């Protein structure tokens, strides 16, 4: 294999700026989707343990359908397919304003919300049942028991699997390149197309992802140690795919 | 806003035969990619997992590095690496199918290796001591004593990872391999019916993955009873 590396292409011309722009889009896309996914995950995860069957069934349907289908399919569905179900004027408005970014946010949020839901359900179920009974016995309503007791404790227990899931979201945001969102992987490809320097561009993109993932993992690792519940061995059970 | 579900009736054969099974002039096929990737990925995964557990650092450190690198990078990146690297090394273009297969085996082995490691570590330490004390070599001990017990503990997470792999194979469509997703893209563009096509695609994937997870749950119950 003979390949002449020219690392300087990464900071000459527009390429450096492209990389940074891509990184910024990746971070924005992931952060927004992460917030929505956590919201959806907490809501549906809590509902899946609720003592009321129709709500449980609703949350189960959401989780089982959305997490068992590849994210790429959801991206295509939300970007190409879903607008077809909207009225004409709404479709025109979308086409004018470029729905790529927000389609990606919706796809990532709904897909990872379903996956996050499983993590949170496992967390809630690992909180001893007596705690729930005790809080209801002291006069809290079921809603209050969830909001004040179960969910805060569960959130502290699930930090390790939730970290994993958040990193998955960050890595999966790279799929948004298929619908034309100019995130990091997209920009890596763009640099490769413009300069024909494949391996420099791929190396830069790969290293940025690695550094990003390892940094987040170590920060959240410290958060986990700081928030660990003393005297409790965290057993959140196995989080499914 | 009107839907035409007739396009599913007209195209399901192409989607399922060509896309899912890979029967047709385009080759490829989701299952024809997923199944060899699972088998080869598991073999490489066992090697990586056992290397990680090795006491010699020059064996375990490269395995740790391998796992950390591949788990810190998106699969799309890995696929692009293989897409560009293989022609550079071999000097010729390989078919999309081979590129995708190579990328999946290498990528998934990092995750499967972690499962193997956790599985082996779940076997009580006394089993190792007893096997070695009874005169087995390291290889015999692993093959006949540890791995058979570890596999039983690994099965739930293994099936989970296989489901993830099955879903991941949709990414092969990005480099143009003809799989279920690529077939749906073609149908959607030909019929200009993305809503119906992609919803049908989602249902097909869902049936495959959901039956896999039902199967794993039944297997778990059966194994825990024995």
């Amino acid at each position: 294999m003979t390949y002449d590396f020219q690392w300087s292409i990464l900071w000459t011309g527009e390429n450096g700026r492209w990389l940074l722009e891509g990184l910024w889009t990746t971070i924005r896309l992931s952060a927004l989707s992460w917030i929505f996914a956590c919201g959806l995950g907490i809501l549906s995860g809590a509902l899946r343990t609720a003592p009321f069957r129709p709500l449980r069934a609703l949350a189960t349907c959401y989780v089982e359908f959305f997490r068992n289908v590849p994210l790429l399919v959801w991206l295509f569905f939300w970007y190409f397919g879903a607008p077809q179900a909207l009225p004409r004027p709404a479709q025109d408005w979308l086409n004018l304003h470029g729905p790529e970014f927000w389609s990606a946010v919706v796809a990532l949020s709904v897909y990872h919300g379903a996956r996050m839901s499983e993590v949170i359900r496992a967390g809630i179920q690992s909180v001893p049942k007596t705690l729930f009974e005790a809080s209801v016995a002291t006069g809290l309503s079921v809603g209050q028991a969830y909001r004040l007791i179960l969910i805060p404790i569960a959130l502290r227990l699930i930090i390790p699997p939730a970290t994993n899931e958040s990193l998955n979201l960050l890595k999966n945001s790279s799929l948004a390149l298929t619908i034309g969102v100019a995130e990091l992987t997209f920009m890596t490809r763009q640099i490769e197309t413009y300069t024909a320097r494949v391996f420099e561009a791929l190396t830069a993109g790969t290293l940025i992802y690695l550094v990003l993932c390892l940094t987040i993992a170590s920060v959240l690792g410290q958060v986990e140690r700081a928030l660990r519940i003393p005297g409790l061995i965290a057993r959140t059970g196995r989080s499914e795919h | 806003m009107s839907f035409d579900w007739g396009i599913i009736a007209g195209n399901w054969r192409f989607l399922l035969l060509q896309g899912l099974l890979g029967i047709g002039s385009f080759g490829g096929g989701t299952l024809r990619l997923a199944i060899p990737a699972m088998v080869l990925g598991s073999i490489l995964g066992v090697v990586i997992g056992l290397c990680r557990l090795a006491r010699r650092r020059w064996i375990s450190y490269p395995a740790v590095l391998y796992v950390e690198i591949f788990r810190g990078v998106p699969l799309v990146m890995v696929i692009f690496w293989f897409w560009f690297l293989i022609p550079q090394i071999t000097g010729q273009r390989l078919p999309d199918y081979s590129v995708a297969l190579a990328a999946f085996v290498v990528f998934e082995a990092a995750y499967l290796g972690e499962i193997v490691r956790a599985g082996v570590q779940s076997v009580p330490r006394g089993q190792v001591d007893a096997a070695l004390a009874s005169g087995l070599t390291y290889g015999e001990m692993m093959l006949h004593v540890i791995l058979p017990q570890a596999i039983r503990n690994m099965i739930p997470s293994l099936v989970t990872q296989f489901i993830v792999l099955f879903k991941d194979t949709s990414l092969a469509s990005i480099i143009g391999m003809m799989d279920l997703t690529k077939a749906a893209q073609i149908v959607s563009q030909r019929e200009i019916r993305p809503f119906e096509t992609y919803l049908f695609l989602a249902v097909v994937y869902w049936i495959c993955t959901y039956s896999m997870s039902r199967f794993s749950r039944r297997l778990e119950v059966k194994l825990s009873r024995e």
Side-chain angles (χ1 to χ4, degrees):
Chain A
M1 176 176 159
T2 49
Y3 186 86
D4 189 17
F5 283 98
Q6 293 175 15
W7 295 106
S8 60
I9 65 110
L10 291 175
W11 48 86
T12 48
E14 301 231 66
N15 300 336
R17 198 166 56 82
W18 281 346
L19 272 182
L20 289 179
E21 275 176 18
L23 173 62
W24 177 234
T25 309
T26 288
I27 291 174
R28 250 179 347 134
L29 177 63
S30 310
L32 269 171
S33 312
W34 186 80
I35 292 169
F36 291 132
C38 284
L40 272 172
I42 292 173
L43 183 70
S44 60
L47 286 182
R48 284 196 82 181
T49 66
F52 184 54
R53 187 185 279 265
L55 285 180
R56 269 207 314 266
L58 188 74
T60 306
C61 285
Y62 160 65
V63 170
E64 291 298 339
F65 191 57
F66 279 92
R67 74 184 181 128
N68 278 317
V69 173
L71 175 62
L72 191 61
V73 176
W74 288 130
L75 272 170
F76 289 157
F77 177 78
W78 292 110
Y79 180 64
F80 296 110
Q84 196 191 325
L86 295 172
R88 256 275 154 231
Q91 284 187 39
D92 293 339
W93 187 88
L94 273 181
N95 287 334
L96 209 62
H97 290 80
E100 294 88 6
F101 183 81
W102 287 101
S103 302
V105 170
V106 172
L108 278 166
S109 309
V110 175
Y111 177 79
H112 279 281
R115 295 179 51 126
M116 208 64 105
S117 170
E118 282 297 279
V119 172
I120 287 166
R121 180 178 64 108
I124 291 178
Q125 284 174 344
S126 69
V127 177
K129 208 168 168 48
T130 47
L131 216 55
F132 176 72
E133 287 159 2
S135 41
V136 173
T138 54
L140 296 184
S141 69
V142 172
Q144 282 173 325
Y146 266 89
R147 192 161 51 82
L148 301 171
I149 312 286
L150 288 188
I151 291 179
I153 293 178
L155 286 182
R156 287 170 74 176
L157 289 178
I158 59 161
I159 292 174
T163 303
N164 235 338
E165 209 34 62
S166 309
L167 290 176
N168 277 340
L169 192 157
L170 176 75
K171 285 180 277 172
N172 277 341
S173 72
S174 61
L175 291 192
L177 102 152
T178 54
I179 58 169
V181 178
E183 44 70 70
L184 186 53
T185 313
F186 183 96
M187 286 305 195
T188 309
R189 293 301 313 277
Q190 181 161 306
I191 293 172
E192 178 261 309
T193 314
Y194 275 69
T195 63
R197 309 305 307 176
V198 184
F199 296 110
E200 290 88 339
L202 282 181
T203 308
T206 307
L207 282 180
I208 294 176
Y209 273 114
L210 262 179
V211 169
L212 209 55
C213 282
L214 292 178
T215 313
I216 294 175
S218 75
V219 168
L220 287 177
Q222 273 165 16
V223 170
E224 192 237 328
R225 273 189 289 284
L227 291 181
R228 188 175 286 163
I229 299 174
L232 207 70
I233 302 164
R235 297 197 56 167
T236 50
R238 185 172 53 86
S239 78
E240 279 190 74
H241 55 100
Chain B
M1 180 175 72
S2 61
F3 299 118
D4 175 15
W5 296 102
I7 65 124
I8 302 301
N11 288 300
W12 67 271
R13 248 189 229 101
F14 175 71
L15 285 171
L16 293 187
L17 291 182
Q18 177 68 69
L20 186 62
L21 303 174
I23 302 169
S25 47
F26 294 98
T30 290
L31 280 180
R32 272 193 45 217
L33 175 62
I35 293 171
M38 285 173 196
V39 175
L40 298 175
S42 302
I43 295 171
L44 188 56
V46 170
V47 175
I48 303 279
L50 292 184
C51 284
R52 261 203 90 157
L53 288 169
R55 217 168 286 156
R56 294 193 191 88
R57 292 218 174 125
W58 58 271
I59 301 179
S60 68
Y61 276 15
V64 172
L65 204 63
Y66 181 96
V67 170
E68 292 299 326
I69 286 178
F70 281 103
R71 296 210 312 171
V73 173
L75 175 55
V76 195
M77 267 306 188
V78 177
I79 293 177
F80 284 143
W81 268 107
F82 275 79
W83 177 241
F84 290 112
L85 205 55
I86 289 179
Q88 186 69 231
I89 293 173
T90 61
Q92 55 184 341
R93 278 200 102 75
L94 289 183
D96 308 332
Y97 174 80
S98 320
V99 175
L101 182 61
F104 279 110
V105 168
V106 168
F107 181 80
E108 301 291 342
Y111 289 83
L112 292 165
E114 282 298 280
I115 294 173
V116 171
R117 181 178 67 99
V120 170
Q121 282 177 334
S122 72
V123 176
R125 176 85 214 162
Q127 296 282 330
V128 176
D129 299 336
L132 292 178
S134 61
L136 297 183
T137 64
Y138 179 85
E140 289 168 337
M141 179 262 300
M142 270 297 164
L143 203 60
H144 299 298
V145 181
I146 305 301
L147 281 179
Q149 298 183 67
I151 281 173
R152 178 176 286 224
N153 296 333
M154 276 155 37
I155 279 177
S157 14
L158 215 51
V159 178
T160 301
Q161 191 57 37
F162 284 161
I163 294 174
V164 172
L165 196 160
F166 183 81
K167 289 192 290 173
D168 281 347
T169 55
S170 60
L171 300 200
S173 66
I174 294 178
I175 56 167
M177 199 201 90
M178 178 60 73
D179 73 329
L180 203 47
T181 307
K182 186 76 193 167
Q185 275 179 294
I186 290 172
V187 169
S188 153
Q189 274 158 19
R190 191 169 57 201
E191 309 277 354
I192 325 182
R193 286 277 166 201
F195 187 91
E196 295 88 336
T197 317
Y198 288 127
L199 202 59
F200 177 72
L201 177 65
V203 170
V204 174
Y205 270 112
W206 184 81
I207 292 173
C208 295
T209 49
Y210 193 69
S211 46
M212 281 165 87
S213 78
R214 294 304 294 208
F215 171 73
S216 99
R217 232 165 283 167
R218 232 190 296 157
L219 202 64
E220 258 175 78
V221 172
K222 203 178 147 203
L223 284 176
S224 64
R225 246 193 248 131
E226 274 167 14

